[in-house]
Amino acid sequence: MYNDLIVRDYIGDCGNEHNRNHYWSSPDIIPYQQELLNIDIASKEYNSMLGKQVLYGQINNCYVRVKNLSKTPAIGEAYLFYVDASLLNLPAKWVPIESVSSDENGNLITKQAVPLTSITSKDAYVKEGAVGITQASFMLDDSFEEKSGHHYCFIALVDTLANPMKPQDVPQDMDNATYVKWVRSHPNVAQLNVSIIKPQDAQLEYTVGFGN
């Protein structure tokens, strides 16, 4: 059994490193349009698909949710990427989605790694047995607009001291079968298949775009 911060492949995933279930509809990668997700909702609805439609032509807030399966508080950070489904097995093609904030002087600060927390303060850790989310949203911009109709996937990485998973830890030049095995065998990696749709056509739908 996995004993760290898990980002699930599917509802019911408990960290079995050799799961044979589908891996492309993670409930813990959460596109949330222009709304703000808080830890209370993320925790209460842990066994729900909270993700909303990804709408091109506007900013979408996206979050990564985890659960601490250990018996001690855990510190970790999450990374989030998007990529055309046809390029999933080529991590060099993944596009990072960054968190955007401002400092006290109003200067914009962008970050690829966002701390995870299970509390409402700025302390960045996840309590033992608790659900956590990224301390701030990843901001997906409107760059999808000219590529509508493509099948896109989000990939989340959760990096901790015990189980490192920074972008440089991702194997390069995987074939399709190797990529699928890699996702399934790492409880700190998850994928969500989405369709990028027009706001007026908003409806939640998951695209079977790769490996299934």
Side-chain angles (χ1 to χ4, degrees):
M1 179 66 69
Y2 194 62
N3 192 35
D4 203 352
L5 298 179
I6 183 176
V7 55
R8 297 169 296 173
D9 290 338
Y10 56 92
I11 292 175
D13 186 2
C14 59
N16 179 355
E17 294 191 4
H18 301 287
N19 79 78
R20 295 296 178 184
N21 292 283
H22 59 275
Y23 59 90
W24 56 86
S25 56
S26 171
D28 294 332
I29 300 175
I30 306 174
Y32 219 55
Q33 295 184 6
Q34 295 180 323
E35 297 182 49
L36 300 177
L37 180 62
N38 62 55
I39 186 60
D40 292 336
I41 294 175
S43 182
K44 181 180 178 181
E45 301 296 333
Y46 183 66
N47 288 316
S48 299
M49 297 291 293
L50 283 176
K52 298 178 181 292
Q53 303 90 345
V54 176
L55 307 178
Y56 68 72
Q58 66 180 46
I59 297 294
N60 288 263
N61 290 319
C62 303
Y63 296 84
V64 174
R65 176 171 56 183
V66 297
K67 188 171 185 178
N68 184 0
L69 300 184
S70 75
K71 296 181 179 180
T72 58
I75 295 174
E77 294 180 322
Y79 298 82
L80 188 63
F81 304 85
Y82 74 83
V83 68
D84 189 290
S86 64
L87 303 173
L88 266 171
N89 60 315
L90 300 173
K93 299 293 185 180
W94 298 357
V95 180
I97 306 173
E98 297 181 325
S99 173
V100 181
S101 59
S102 59
D103 63 20
E104 57 186 14
N105 296 317
N107 300 311
L108 290 181
I109 302 172
T110 60
K111 295 181 179 179
Q112 288 188 23
V114 180
L116 293 153
T117 182
S118 62
I119 52 182
T120 55
S121 75
K122 294 184 179 181
D123 292 331
Y125 67 90
V126 181
K127 297 178 182 178
E128 57 273 23
V131 171
I133 59 172
T134 42
Q135 207 169 51
S137 69
F138 296 93
M139 294 183 68
L140 180 68
D141 63 23
D142 59 2
S143 60
F144 285 109
E145 186 164 7
E146 296 181 357
K147 300 178 181 179
S148 61
H150 286 221
H151 293 166
Y152 284 93
C153 300
F154 291 172
I155 302 104
L157 311 177
V158 172
D159 179 60
T160 67
L161 184 62
N163 292 280
M165 188 55 74
K166 292 181 172 62
Q168 58 265 34
D169 297 316
V170 178
Q172 301 297 307
D173 299 322
M174 296 178 279
D175 59 27
N176 291 358
T178 302
Y179 169 81
V180 171
K181 183 178 180 180
W182 177 74
V183 174
R184 283 176 165 167
S185 63
H186 286 84
N188 54 347
V189 175
Q191 176 185 321
L192 176 69
N193 289 15
V194 296
S195 290
I196 311 304
I197 57 178
K198 298 178 182 179
Q200 59 266 37
D201 297 331
Q203 57 181 341
L204 187 63
E205 59 183 278
Y206 295 104
T207 303
V208 180
F210 183 88
N212 49 297

